[in-house]
Amino acid sequence: MTYDVIIIGAGPGGTAAAVYSARKQLKTLLICKEFGGQSIVSEDIQNWIGTPSISGIALAKAFKDHVAKYADFVTIQEGVWVENIEHTEVGFTVKTNKETFSGRSLLITSGSTRRKLAVPGADTFENKGLTYCASCDGPLFSEQDVVVVGGGNAGFESAAQLLAYCKSVTILQHGDRYKADEITVAKVLAHPNVKGILNTEIVEVKGDKFVTGIVYEDTTTNEKHELPVTGIFVEIGLVPSTDFLGTLVEVDTYRRIKIDPWTQRASLLGVWAAGDCSNIKYHQNNIAAGDAVRAIEDLYLYLKTGK
């Protein structure tokens, strides 16, 4: 069987795409390790439009239940992952760890993973005060002292968001200069509740049942310092989940798929991408869903007109 479209990934982007593809009565295959994307680890998501509060697990279940309503058009392959994709004369051959599938077109919504903080205590207190999403979890730290690890644009943007809720925000940067835009750095650090510290090496995350502090070393003096905080927001980069693509499409230096933002098309005809695996500026559940819907709209026209 040859599917009209094969969607890889079932976060908000892949789920939205599967629903829209089914409503256009396209024969659709959805391949994923699991539903939910990065948000599956969040205990309380408050910015999924139309749902004031929902856990990541509940959101993932809602994604799956919604797609399952279109079983006449969507085949779900859950618990599998893509190992290789080949471009053929009639479309694409997608090899997973279990079997091989054929499709006329591809939509890549494989997302990304947060680069983890690899120090003692980080794994222990993940989702217990240590988080990788300020926009998702920031409101949970109202009137508390928190730390942002990472001085790039993402770190400073997170700090700016956290100022709406938190008592104080301290930004810890590894090197001797911040990597964020100078204008952003100046604006955020000008806030009286923000402090920035350069030349830091994170040593340990401390806590009991939840985070109670973070230990860093001053790389210029080799002195260790402990900050008493209840929240740690890690912004040290994203790792796009695109290794399985090989050289199929063009990617940027971070291995994010290069797309045309007008259509979501990748460099190879018949391939679209949406969400965190694509080279977009902002990364949010709602943005990924919207971009994936745009991709399906364009993909549908391509399948019907060849353009």
Side-chain angles (χ1 to χ4, degrees), residues 78-236:
E78 187 179 7
V80 302
W81 55 89
V82 175
E83 294 183 340
N84 182 54
I85 299 176
E86 292 185 5
H87 186 209
T88 68
E89 292 184 358
V90 295
F92 301 89
T93 298
V94 178
K95 182 181 181 298
T96 72
N97 60 308
K98 291 187 177 180
E99 55 186 303
T100 300
F101 303 95
S102 177
R104 297 171 59 198
S105 63
L106 294 177
L107 172 55
I108 313 299
T109 58
S110 52
S112 63
T113 57
R114 297 278 181 171
R115 194 178 301 280
K116 297 288 186 174
L117 184 62
V119 300
D123 287 344
T124 302
F125 294 104
E126 186 170 337
N127 300 315
K128 296 177 181 178
L130 186 148
T131 176
Y132 291 85
C133 185
S135 60
C136 304
D137 300 327
L140 303 177
F141 295 83
S142 179
E143 296 303 313
Q144 299 178 45
D145 297 310
V146 302
V147 156
V148 173
V149 179
N153 282 318
F156 272 83
E157 288 167 6
S158 291
Q161 292 183 51
L162 292 169
L163 285 172
Y165 322 107
C166 300
K167 181 180 177 181
S168 73
V169 181
T170 301
I171 303 171
L172 300 179
Q173 165 63 16
H174 178 72
D176 60 2
R177 59 181 294 275
Y178 300 110
K179 295 182 180 180
D181 300 328
E182 291 184 8
I183 294 176
T184 301
V185 171
K187 184 176 181 179
V188 173
L189 291 182
H191 196 284
N193 296 339
V194 176
K195 180 181 180 180
I197 305 177
L198 295 168
N199 300 305
T200 65
E201 180 76 37
I202 308 303
V203 175
E204 183 182 3
V205 173
K206 288 193 170 184
D208 184 10
K209 292 182 179 179
F210 296 92
V211 165
T212 59
I214 188 168
V215 179
Y216 71 89
E217 181 180 306
D218 184 326
T219 57
T220 62
T221 65
N222 296 323
E223 295 180 353
K224 292 182 180 179
H225 305 270
E226 181 176 346
L227 294 177
V229 295
T230 53
I232 300 171
F233 294 82
V234 182
E235 290 290 354
I236 54 177

